[in-house]
mmCIF file of all heavy atoms in Angstrom:
data_model
loop_
_atom_site.group_PDB
_atom_site.id
_atom_site.type_symbol
_atom_site.label_atom_id
_atom_site.label_comp_id
_atom_site.label_asym_id
_atom_site.label_seq_id
_atom_site.Cartn_x
_atom_site.Cartn_y
_atom_site.Cartn_z
ATOM 1 N N ALA A 2 101.025 94.758 85.012
ATOM 2 C CA ALA A 2 100.702 94.156 86.300
ATOM 3 C C ALA A 2 101.308 92.767 86.417
ATOM 4 O O ALA A 2 101.811 92.371 87.471
ATOM 5 C CB ALA A 2 99.189 94.096 86.487
ATOM 6 N N SER A 3 101.280 92.012 85.310
ATOM 7 C CA SER A 3 101.875 90.674 85.318
ATOM 8 C C SER A 3 103.384 90.746 85.545
ATOM 9 O O SER A 3 103.957 89.948 86.290
ATOM 10 C CB SER A 3 101.582 89.966 83.996
ATOM 11 O OG SER A 3 100.198 89.816 83.806
ATOM 12 N N LEU A 4 104.040 91.711 84.907
ATOM 13 C CA LEU A 4 105.481 91.859 85.077
ATOM 14 C C LEU A 4 105.831 92.266 86.504
ATOM 15 O O LEU A 4 106.802 91.762 87.089
ATOM 16 C CB LEU A 4 106.013 92.898 84.083
ATOM 17 C CG LEU A 4 105.951 92.498 82.604
ATOM 18 C CD1 LEU A 4 106.401 93.661 81.722
ATOM 19 C CD2 LEU A 4 106.817 91.269 82.323
ATOM 20 N N ILE A 5 105.035 93.166 87.076
ATOM 21 C CA ILE A 5 105.267 93.569 88.459
ATOM 22 C C ILE A 5 105.077 92.386 89.388
ATOM 23 O O ILE A 5 105.831 92.179 90.338
ATOM 24 C CB ILE A 5 104.324 94.725 88.848
ATOM 25 C CG1 ILE A 5 104.697 95.986 88.064
ATOM 26 C CG2 ILE A 5 104.376 95.010 90.345
ATOM 27 C CD1 ILE A 5 103.698 97.112 88.211
ATOM 28 N N TYR A 6 104.066 91.561 89.123
ATOM 29 C CA TYR A 6 103.812 90.368 89.913
ATOM 30 C C TYR A 6 105.025 89.443 89.901
ATOM 31 O O TYR A 6 105.489 88.979 90.941
ATOM 32 C CB TYR A 6 102.586 89.654 89.358
ATOM 33 C CG TYR A 6 102.396 88.241 89.842
ATOM 34 C CD1 TYR A 6 101.992 88.004 91.152
ATOM 35 C CD2 TYR A 6 102.612 87.151 89.007
ATOM 36 C CE1 TYR A 6 101.806 86.720 91.602
ATOM 37 C CE2 TYR A 6 102.439 85.872 89.453
ATOM 38 C CZ TYR A 6 102.025 85.644 90.756
ATOM 39 O OH TYR A 6 101.848 84.375 91.199
ATOM 40 N N LEU A 7 105.577 89.201 88.733
ATOM 41 C CA LEU A 7 106.745 88.325 88.617
ATOM 42 C C LEU A 7 107.944 88.922 89.330
ATOM 43 O O LEU A 7 108.717 88.216 89.979
ATOM 44 C CB LEU A 7 107.061 88.080 87.141
ATOM 45 C CG LEU A 7 106.029 87.257 86.362
ATOM 46 C CD1 LEU A 7 106.408 87.212 84.880
ATOM 47 C CD2 LEU A 7 105.923 85.853 86.924
ATOM 48 N N LEU A 8 108.114 90.249 89.209
ATOM 49 C CA LEU A 8 109.229 90.904 89.872
ATOM 50 C C LEU A 8 109.125 90.774 91.388
ATOM 51 O O LEU A 8 110.103 90.489 92.078
ATOM 52 C CB LEU A 8 109.258 92.384 89.482
ATOM 53 C CG LEU A 8 110.322 93.253 90.178
ATOM 54 C CD1 LEU A 8 111.715 92.736 89.868
ATOM 55 C CD2 LEU A 8 110.189 94.706 89.750
ATOM 56 N N LEU A 9 107.907 90.952 91.924
ATOM 57 C CA LEU A 9 107.717 90.862 93.369
ATOM 58 C C LEU A 9 107.940 89.444 93.867
ATOM 59 O O LEU A 9 108.512 89.227 94.942
ATOM 60 C CB LEU A 9 106.322 91.345 93.743
ATOM 61 C CG LEU A 9 106.085 92.844 93.613
ATOM 62 C CD1 LEU A 9 104.622 93.160 93.848
ATOM 63 C CD2 LEU A 9 106.941 93.606 94.606
ATOM 64 N N ILE A 10 107.467 88.461 93.105
ATOM 65 C CA ILE A 10 107.691 87.064 93.484
ATOM 66 C C ILE A 10 109.184 86.775 93.562
ATOM 67 O O ILE A 10 109.686 86.143 94.490
ATOM 68 C CB ILE A 10 107.024 86.112 92.462
ATOM 69 C CG1 ILE A 10 105.500 86.154 92.650
ATOM 70 C CG2 ILE A 10 107.533 84.695 92.631
ATOM 71 C CD1 ILE A 10 105.014 85.564 93.956
ATOM 72 N N SER A 11 109.949 87.270 92.562
ATOM 73 C CA SER A 11 111.389 87.056 92.541
ATOM 74 C C SER A 11 112.058 87.741 93.721
ATOM 75 O O SER A 11 112.962 87.198 94.356
ATOM 76 C CB SER A 11 111.985 87.587 91.227
ATOM 77 O OG SER A 11 111.412 86.936 90.121
ATOM 78 N N THR A 12 111.596 88.951 94.034
ATOM 79 C CA THR A 12 112.181 89.698 95.142
ATOM 80 C C THR A 12 111.937 88.998 96.467
ATOM 81 O O THR A 12 112.831 88.870 97.301
ATOM 82 C CB THR A 12 111.593 91.120 95.203
ATOM 83 O OG1 THR A 12 111.861 91.768 93.963
ATOM 84 C CG2 THR A 12 112.210 91.925 96.335
ATOM 85 N N LEU A 13 110.709 88.504 96.676
ATOM 86 C CA LEU A 13 110.399 87.799 97.914
ATOM 87 C C LEU A 13 111.221 86.531 98.051
ATOM 88 O O LEU A 13 111.696 86.186 99.128
ATOM 89 C CB LEU A 13 108.907 87.466 97.964
ATOM 90 C CG LEU A 13 107.957 88.652 98.183
ATOM 91 C CD1 LEU A 13 106.518 88.182 98.085
ATOM 92 C CD2 LEU A 13 108.216 89.294 99.528
ATOM 93 N N ALA A 14 111.385 85.825 96.951
ATOM 94 C CA ALA A 14 112.186 84.613 96.986
ATOM 95 C C ALA A 14 113.638 84.912 97.311
ATOM 96 O O ALA A 14 114.298 84.194 98.057
ATOM 97 C CB ALA A 14 112.082 83.879 95.640
ATOM 98 N N ALA A 15 114.152 86.011 96.754
ATOM 99 C CA ALA A 15 115.545 86.377 96.995
ATOM 100 C C ALA A 15 115.771 86.808 98.437
ATOM 101 O O ALA A 15 116.832 86.599 99.010
ATOM 102 C CB ALA A 15 115.952 87.506 96.049
ATOM 103 N N CYS A 16 114.751 87.417 99.053
ATOM 104 C CA CYS A 16 114.889 87.913 100.416
ATOM 105 C C CYS A 16 114.683 86.832 101.461
ATOM 106 O O CYS A 16 115.027 87.022 102.620
ATOM 107 C CB CYS A 16 113.892 89.043 100.668
ATOM 108 S SG CYS A 16 114.248 90.541 99.711
ATOM 109 N N SER A 17 114.089 85.705 101.070
ATOM 110 C CA SER A 17 113.826 84.655 102.040
ATOM 111 C C SER A 17 115.092 83.901 102.385
ATOM 112 O O SER A 17 115.931 83.611 101.537
ATOM 113 C CB SER A 17 112.789 83.684 101.450
ATOM 114 O OG SER A 17 112.612 82.579 102.290
ATOM 115 N N ASP A 18 115.245 83.544 103.695
ATOM 116 C CA ASP A 18 116.424 82.772 104.094
ATOM 117 C C ASP A 18 116.135 81.289 104.124
ATOM 118 O O ASP A 18 116.995 80.479 104.472
ATOM 119 C CB ASP A 18 116.930 83.233 105.470
ATOM 120 C CG ASP A 18 115.902 83.046 106.565
ATOM 121 O OD1 ASP A 18 114.826 82.467 106.280
ATOM 122 O OD2 ASP A 18 116.175 83.470 107.707
ATOM 123 N N GLY A 19 114.869 80.921 103.793
ATOM 124 C CA GLY A 19 114.521 79.521 103.700
ATOM 125 C C GLY A 19 114.273 78.852 105.033
ATOM 126 O O GLY A 19 113.988 77.662 105.092
ATOM 127 N N SER A 20 114.378 79.571 106.136
ATOM 128 C CA SER A 20 114.182 78.977 107.447
ATOM 129 C C SER A 20 112.775 79.215 107.936
ATOM 130 O O SER A 20 112.049 80.064 107.450
ATOM 131 C CB SER A 20 115.177 79.571 108.454
ATOM 132 O OG SER A 20 114.870 80.926 108.695
ATOM 133 N N ASP A 21 112.368 78.452 108.965
ATOM 134 C CA ASP A 21 111.060 78.599 109.564
ATOM 135 C C ASP A 21 111.118 79.372 110.871
ATOM 136 O O ASP A 21 110.137 79.458 111.598
ATOM 137 C CB ASP A 21 110.445 77.206 109.845
ATOM 138 C CG ASP A 21 110.167 76.449 108.556
ATOM 139 O OD1 ASP A 21 109.854 77.114 107.563
ATOM 140 O OD2 ASP A 21 110.271 75.206 108.566
ATOM 141 N N ASN A 22 112.290 79.940 111.204
ATOM 142 C CA ASN A 22 112.481 80.615 112.474
ATOM 143 C C ASN A 22 112.458 82.123 112.348
ATOM 144 O O ASN A 22 112.864 82.833 113.257
ATOM 145 C CB ASN A 22 113.813 80.185 113.104
ATOM 146 C CG ASN A 22 113.838 78.690 113.397
ATOM 147 O OD1 ASN A 22 112.834 78.129 113.818
ATOM 148 N ND2 ASN A 22 114.986 78.059 113.151
ATOM 149 N N SER A 23 112.006 82.632 111.212
ATOM 150 C CA SER A 23 111.980 84.073 111.015
ATOM 151 C C SER A 23 110.928 84.701 111.911
ATOM 152 O O SER A 23 109.959 84.064 112.320
ATOM 153 C CB SER A 23 111.695 84.416 109.550
ATOM 154 O OG SER A 23 110.468 83.860 109.163
ATOM 155 N N ASP A 24 111.096 85.970 112.205
ATOM 156 C CA ASP A 24 110.167 86.696 113.063
ATOM 157 C C ASP A 24 108.938 87.089 112.271
ATOM 158 O O ASP A 24 108.979 87.940 111.404
ATOM 159 C CB ASP A 24 110.860 87.947 113.606
ATOM 160 C CG ASP A 24 109.952 88.719 114.559
ATOM 161 O OD1 ASP A 24 108.838 88.226 114.831
ATOM 162 O OD2 ASP A 24 110.385 89.795 115.014
ATOM 163 N N ASN A 25 107.804 86.445 112.566
ATOM 164 C CA ASN A 25 106.589 86.704 111.802
ATOM 165 C C ASN A 25 106.067 88.105 111.995
ATOM 166 O O ASN A 25 105.279 88.597 111.190
ATOM 167 C CB ASN A 25 105.493 85.701 112.200
ATOM 168 C CG ASN A 25 105.779 84.312 111.673
ATOM 169 O OD1 ASN A 25 106.434 84.159 110.649
ATOM 170 N ND2 ASN A 25 105.312 83.291 112.384
ATOM 171 N N SER A 26 106.477 88.778 113.088
ATOM 172 C CA SER A 26 105.971 90.128 113.314
ATOM 173 C C SER A 26 106.414 91.087 112.233
ATOM 174 O O SER A 26 105.771 92.101 111.988
ATOM 175 C CB SER A 26 106.445 90.640 114.684
ATOM 176 O OG SER A 26 107.860 90.756 114.704
ATOM 177 N N SER A 27 107.529 90.774 111.546
ATOM 178 C CA SER A 27 108.014 91.659 110.500
ATOM 179 C C SER A 27 107.127 91.623 109.268
ATOM 180 O O SER A 27 107.214 92.484 108.418
ATOM 181 C CB SER A 27 109.450 91.271 110.103
ATOM 182 O OG SER A 27 109.458 89.968 109.540
ATOM 183 N N ARG A 28 106.259 90.610 109.186
ATOM 184 C CA ARG A 28 105.390 90.493 108.019
ATOM 185 C C ARG A 28 104.148 91.364 108.141
ATOM 186 O O ARG A 28 103.443 91.583 107.175
ATOM 187 C CB ARG A 28 104.978 89.020 107.838
ATOM 188 C CG ARG A 28 106.173 88.106 107.608
ATOM 189 C CD ARG A 28 105.725 86.663 107.490
ATOM 190 N NE ARG A 28 106.863 85.765 107.379
ATOM 191 C CZ ARG A 28 106.756 84.441 107.350
ATOM 192 N NH1 ARG A 28 105.565 83.878 107.426
ATOM 193 N NH2 ARG A 28 107.825 83.686 107.259
ATOM 194 N N SER A 29 103.844 91.793 109.340
ATOM 195 C CA SER A 29 102.689 92.655 109.549
ATOM 196 C C SER A 29 103.097 93.749 110.521
ATOM 197 O O SER A 29 102.941 93.629 111.725
ATOM 198 C CB SER A 29 101.516 91.838 110.110
ATOM 199 O OG SER A 29 100.405 92.672 110.289
ATOM 200 N N VAL A 30 103.658 94.805 109.969
ATOM 201 C CA VAL A 30 104.260 95.847 110.783
ATOM 202 C C VAL A 30 103.212 96.859 111.215
ATOM 203 O O VAL A 30 102.405 97.310 110.417
ATOM 204 C CB VAL A 30 105.372 96.569 109.991
ATOM 205 C CG1 VAL A 30 105.996 97.668 110.846
ATOM 206 C CG2 VAL A 30 106.430 95.575 109.552
ATOM 207 N N ALA A 31 103.219 97.209 112.491
ATOM 208 C CA ALA A 31 102.384 98.289 112.985
ATOM 209 C C ALA A 31 103.263 99.526 113.131
ATOM 210 O O ALA A 31 104.286 99.499 113.815
ATOM 211 C CB ALA A 31 101.756 97.922 114.331
ATOM 212 N N LEU A 32 102.900 100.604 112.451
ATOM 213 C CA LEU A 32 103.700 101.811 112.485
ATOM 214 C C LEU A 32 103.441 102.580 113.773
ATOM 215 O O LEU A 32 102.293 102.864 114.113
ATOM 216 C CB LEU A 32 103.359 102.692 111.278
ATOM 217 C CG LEU A 32 103.588 102.048 109.914
ATOM 218 C CD1 LEU A 32 103.333 103.070 108.816
ATOM 219 C CD2 LEU A 32 105.003 101.504 109.783
ATOM 220 N N GLU A 33 104.493 102.897 114.502
ATOM 221 C CA GLU A 33 104.352 103.601 115.764
ATOM 222 C C GLU A 33 104.602 105.095 115.569
ATOM 223 O O GLU A 33 105.513 105.489 114.851
ATOM 224 C CB GLU A 33 105.333 103.046 116.795
ATOM 225 C CG GLU A 33 105.057 101.584 117.163
ATOM 226 C CD GLU A 33 106.008 101.076 118.219
ATOM 227 O OE1 GLU A 33 106.881 101.860 118.659
ATOM 228 O OE2 GLU A 33 105.868 99.915 118.624
ATOM 229 N N ILE A 34 103.800 105.906 116.213
ATOM 230 C CA ILE A 34 103.901 107.355 116.131
ATOM 231 C C ILE A 34 104.308 107.897 117.498
ATOM 232 O O ILE A 34 103.677 107.587 118.509
ATOM 233 C CB ILE A 34 102.566 107.987 115.703
ATOM 234 C CG1 ILE A 34 102.124 107.425 114.353
ATOM 235 C CG2 ILE A 34 102.684 109.501 115.631
ATOM 236 C CD1 ILE A 34 103.074 107.703 113.214
ATOM 237 N N THR A 35 105.368 108.690 117.541
ATOM 238 C CA THR A 35 105.838 109.242 118.805
ATOM 239 C C THR A 35 105.532 110.733 118.926
ATOM 240 O O THR A 35 105.764 111.317 119.983
ATOM 241 C CB THR A 35 107.357 109.031 118.955
ATOM 242 O OG1 THR A 35 108.032 109.641 117.846
ATOM 243 C CG2 THR A 35 107.687 107.546 118.988
ATOM 244 N N ASP A 36 105.017 111.365 117.872
ATOM 245 C CA ASP A 36 104.663 112.778 117.935
ATOM 246 C C ASP A 36 103.462 112.993 118.862
ATOM 247 O O ASP A 36 102.680 112.078 119.125
ATOM 248 C CB ASP A 36 104.324 113.312 116.540
ATOM 249 C CG ASP A 36 105.531 113.334 115.627
ATOM 250 O OD1 ASP A 36 106.654 113.303 116.153
ATOM 251 O OD2 ASP A 36 105.345 113.378 114.403
ATOM 252 N N THR A 37 103.305 114.201 119.325
ATOM 253 C CA THR A 37 102.193 114.537 120.198
ATOM 254 C C THR A 37 100.876 114.499 119.423
ATOM 255 O O THR A 37 100.779 115.066 118.341
ATOM 256 C CB THR A 37 102.387 115.949 120.788
ATOM 257 O OG1 THR A 37 103.632 115.986 121.482
ATOM 258 C CG2 THR A 37 101.257 116.294 121.736
ATOM 259 N N PRO A 38 99.845 113.831 119.965
ATOM 260 C CA PRO A 38 98.548 113.820 119.281
ATOM 261 C C PRO A 38 97.969 115.223 119.184
ATOM 262 O O PRO A 38 98.326 116.119 119.955
ATOM 263 C CB PRO A 38 97.682 112.922 120.170
ATOM 264 C CG PRO A 38 98.638 112.152 121.005
ATOM 265 C CD PRO A 38 99.842 113.015 121.184
ATOM 266 N N GLY A 39 97.043 115.407 118.253
ATOM 267 C CA GLY A 39 96.354 116.678 118.143
ATOM 268 C C GLY A 39 95.337 116.846 119.256
ATOM 269 O O GLY A 39 95.172 115.974 120.118
ATOM 270 N N SER A 40 94.610 117.938 119.220
ATOM 271 C CA SER A 40 93.671 118.263 120.291
ATOM 272 C C SER A 40 92.311 117.606 120.139
ATOM 273 O O SER A 40 91.514 117.578 121.086
ATOM 274 C CB SER A 40 93.491 119.783 120.365
ATOM 275 O OG SER A 40 92.957 120.275 119.136
#
């Protein structure tokens, strides 16, 4: 678990562009469903 934690921290740091103008909506994604609902 500790190793996974370190790996994720490194991954997040690598993916960050360092700016404050990023789209915050991407941090909390709502999954949209287009299929027909059931009955």
Side-chain angles (χ1 to χ4, degrees):
S3 299
L4 293 175
I5 293 171
Y6 166 72
L7 292 174
L8 176 60
L9 289 173
I10 287 292
S11 301
T12 301
L13 289 175
C16 293
S17 174
D18 61 5
S20 68
D21 294 328
N22 298 321
S23 59
D24 182 4
N25 288 332
S26 64
S27 64
R28 299 178 185 176
S29 181
V30 180
L32 301 185
E33 296 182 0
I34 302 298
T35 58
D36 293 340
T37 303
S40 61

